[in-house]
Amino acid sequence: MTSATPVGDAHPYLRAATAGVRHHTRSLTTAAPSAPQPADRVHLDVLHAHLTALHRLFDQLAETTRPPHPAAGRHLATAHTRLWQATTALHDAFHLLPAANESAAEADCHPERLPEGPPVLTICQRHLAAGHIVRRKTTPSDLNTPLHGHTTTCSQ
């Protein structure tokens, strides 16, 4: 089954984002092939940027798909919610990692300091902006509900 609009034409930034994820995946595996490196704040920040971009894309797709295809729109909305849960976990992991030039007190997320805060808080600004969209469209119970009972049928 092919779509009428190629993915690159409908969402031109998606191809660039995919290339960015591949680049960071390769840099993690080729940096020291014998000893895998743990995640660092730089990689988590870039991954968070990709997830928030995907989050916006899923939001768009769910909104435009729901009217003509309600069941598919609901599945996309569920993926949108699960992606937000992954983005939140990634943001939390970012703040649990130590920074080379930052004390533990400075590593905490302080939204009240965002306009004047250090550049490392751009992940917090991005996360808060995405969180405002999520709160407008998703209930707290939806955000905390596991994916149990969610089934699909594959047809070829």
Side-chain angles (χ1 to χ4, degrees), residues 10-99:
H11 305 284
Y13 56 87
L14 190 56
R15 192 172 299 176
T18 302
V21 169
R22 287 184 185 139
H23 166 75
H24 287 284
T25 302
R26 274 192 307 271
S27 69
L28 281 175
T29 57
T30 59
S34 60
Q37 298 295 311
D40 62 8
R41 282 184 153 201
V42 172
H43 283 99
L44 292 187
D45 185 29
V46 171
L47 187 56
H48 187 272
H50 288 299
L51 285 180
T52 54
L54 278 173
H55 188 261
R56 285 191 308 270
L57 175 62
F58 271 79
D59 183 39
Q60 247 181 354
L61 291 174
E63 289 298 316
T64 57
T65 303
R66 190 174 289 130
H69 307 288
R74 282 192 302 274
H75 283 282
L76 288 171
T78 300
H80 176 260
T81 301
R82 299 306 169 239
L83 193 55
W84 175 249
Q85 291 170 335
T87 304
T88 298
L90 188 62
H91 177 255
D92 294 344
F94 175 90
H95 285 293
L96 291 174
L97 289 176

Side-chain angles (χ1 to χ4, degrees), residues 41 97-103:
R41 282 184 153 201
L97 289 176
N101 57 356
E102 206 175 85
S103 71

Side-chain angles (χ1 to χ4, degrees), residues 125-136:
Q125 290 172 326
R126 186 184 323 116
H127 196 72
L128 286 171
H132 289 297
I133 294 168
V134 169
R135 284 184 207 75
R136 281 193 309 236

